[in-house]
Amino acid sequence: ASLLLIFLFRAVAKGYKANDGKAPSGIQSFMEPFFVFIRDEVTVPMIGEHKYEKFQPFIMTLFFFILFCNLLGLIPFFPGSANVTGNLAVTFVLAVLAFLVTNLNGNGHYWEHIFWMPGIPAWVKIILTPVEVLGLFIKPFSLMIRLFANITAGHIIVLSLVGLIFVFGNFGESSGGAATGAALAVPLTLFISLLELLVAALQAFIFTLLSALFIGQAVEEPAHH
């Protein structure tokens, strides 16, 4: 997935340089709607039009890396077939990266509302501050679990459907039962695989959307009324 991203982004970058001031063409024209969508629907609304550019590369990389890993996991042969985003180690690292980018860029307003919220009685702050600090770690944890659980669930369903062939066939003793299991399993597996295409894109979008939301909360300037 990383090699594909490097190849793809380099090709797109060359297209932008070659077509500077001109209409996009080739792979550039194919990818530009994705760039515009992520910018207009994720980074600008969540982070703000004055600060989004700093985080746009990170959000774009997150989205396409997760999307490519999800899609490669649906291919039942090399170079696919590995359920990468269904591995907690991978989703953990992605969540840690989002955690670091969010909190390393947090401004004073952000940290003030975590450790000592203004305008609240001191005795309430003693209760809320531990909750807010705990929330710093719950947010990336939820990102990690959500991506892992949704991608793994689809693979478990496919595995269960394929298992019908062996269950109906009594593990090799009944060819007729195996054929019946296959008649049920194959169309249902194809349906779930199509559904997984939607889930692959949706989970990549949700992960990046929430990451951008957390970053936006960290860099948001206080509103003066």
Side-chain angles (χ1 to χ4, degrees), residues 58-81:
F58 173 68
I59 296 299
M60 292 296 299
T61 304
L62 264 185
F63 175 77
F64 280 103
F65 179 75
I66 295 171
L67 178 63
F68 278 31
C69 286
N70 289 349
L71 294 177
L72 285 170
L74 298 178
I75 301 174
F77 49 82
F78 184 84
S81 74

Side-chain angles (χ1 to χ4, degrees), residues 38-150:
I38 295 296
R39 182 194 68 192
D40 293 347
E41 302 298 330
V42 178
T43 51
V44 171
M46 296 296 112
I47 301 175
E49 59 181 351
H50 300 297
K51 296 186 177 183
Y52 81 92
E53 289 185 351
K54 177 181 179 181
F55 304 100
Q56 182 78 5
F58 173 68
I59 296 299
M60 292 296 299
T61 304
L62 264 185
F63 175 77
F64 280 103
F65 179 75
I66 295 171
L67 178 63
F68 278 31
C69 286
N70 289 349
L71 294 177
L72 285 170
L74 298 178
I75 301 174
F77 49 82
F78 184 84
S81 74
N83 186 18
V84 178
T85 43
N87 186 318
L88 270 176
V90 175
T91 58
F92 171 77
V93 171
L94 293 173
V96 167
L97 289 173
F99 172 82
L100 291 175
V101 171
T102 298
N103 292 289
L104 290 177
N105 288 280
N107 56 27
H109 174 69
Y110 171 71
W111 291 112
E112 181 185 16
H113 277 74
I114 289 175
F115 289 107
W116 206 247
M117 296 72 82
I120 296 177
W123 67 272
V124 178
K125 294 178 182 180
I126 295 173
I127 300 172
L128 288 182
T129 298
V131 175
E132 290 292 335
V133 172
L134 190 61
L136 291 177
F137 301 94
I138 292 176
K139 290 175 182 177
F141 181 79
S142 67
L143 287 177
M144 174 186 74
I145 295 299
R146 180 182 291 105
L147 180 59
F148 160 77
N150 280 280

Side-chain angles (χ1 to χ4, degrees), residues 17 39 105 174 183 193 225:
K17 290 179 180 178
R39 182 194 68 192
N105 288 280
S174 171
S193 296
H225 300 287

Side-chain angles (χ1 to χ4, degrees), residues 11-22:
V12 173
K14 288 180 180 178
Y16 274 106
K17 290 179 180 178
N19 297 319
D20 187 24
K22 303 177 184 177

